[in-house]
PDB file of all heavy atoms in Angstrom:
ATOM      1  N   GLN A  91       8.774  -7.605 -10.744  1.00 95.00           N
ATOM      2  CA  GLN A  91       8.625  -8.990 -11.190  1.00 95.00           C
ATOM      3  C   GLN A  91       8.134  -9.892 -10.059  1.00 95.00           C
ATOM      4  O   GLN A  91       7.233 -10.725 -10.258  1.00 95.00           O
ATOM      5  CB  GLN A  91       9.963  -9.507 -11.736  1.00 95.00           C
ATOM      6  CG  GLN A  91      10.360  -8.891 -13.064  1.00 95.00           C
ATOM      7  CD  GLN A  91      11.768  -9.287 -13.489  1.00 95.00           C
ATOM      8  OE1 GLN A  91      12.679  -9.341 -12.667  1.00 95.00           O
ATOM      9  NE2 GLN A  91      11.955  -9.562 -14.774  1.00 95.00           N
ATOM     10  N   LEU A  92       8.710  -9.720  -8.881  1.00 95.00           N
ATOM     11  CA  LEU A  92       8.304 -10.549  -7.746  1.00 95.00           C
ATOM     12  C   LEU A  92       6.863 -10.263  -7.327  1.00 95.00           C
ATOM     13  O   LEU A  92       6.108 -11.186  -6.998  1.00 95.00           O
ATOM     14  CB  LEU A  92       9.256 -10.322  -6.566  1.00 95.00           C
ATOM     15  CG  LEU A  92      10.670 -10.880  -6.724  1.00 95.00           C
ATOM     16  CD1 LEU A  92      11.549 -10.459  -5.545  1.00 95.00           C
ATOM     17  CD2 LEU A  92      10.638 -12.405  -6.841  1.00 95.00           C
ATOM     18  N   LEU A 284      -4.482  10.030 -24.655  1.00 82.00           N
ATOM     19  CA  LEU A 284      -3.882   9.870 -25.976  1.00 82.00           C
ATOM     20  C   LEU A 284      -3.480  11.222 -26.561  1.00 82.00           C
ATOM     21  O   LEU A 284      -2.408  11.372 -27.159  1.00 82.00           O
ATOM     22  CB  LEU A 284      -4.852   9.151 -26.911  1.00 82.00           C
ATOM     23  CG  LEU A 284      -5.146   7.685 -26.569  1.00 82.00           C
ATOM     24  CD1 LEU A 284      -6.225   7.128 -27.483  1.00 82.00           C
ATOM     25  CD2 LEU A 284      -3.867   6.844 -26.681  1.00 82.00           C
ATOM     26  N   LEU A 327     -18.003  12.378 -19.088  1.00 92.00           N
ATOM     27  CA  LEU A 327     -16.931  12.329 -20.088  1.00 92.00           C
ATOM     28  C   LEU A 327     -15.926  13.455 -19.841  1.00 92.00           C
ATOM     29  O   LEU A 327     -14.704  13.239 -19.842  1.00 92.00           O
ATOM     30  CB  LEU A 327     -17.529  12.450 -21.485  1.00 92.00           C
ATOM     31  CG  LEU A 327     -16.589  12.174 -22.670  1.00 92.00           C
ATOM     32  CD1 LEU A 327     -16.344  10.683 -22.823  1.00 92.00           C
ATOM     33  CD2 LEU A 327     -17.185  12.740 -23.960  1.00 92.00           C
TER      34      LEU A 327
END
Side-chain angles (χ1 to χ4, degrees):
Q91 289 173 319
L92 289 174
L284 293 174
L327 190 76

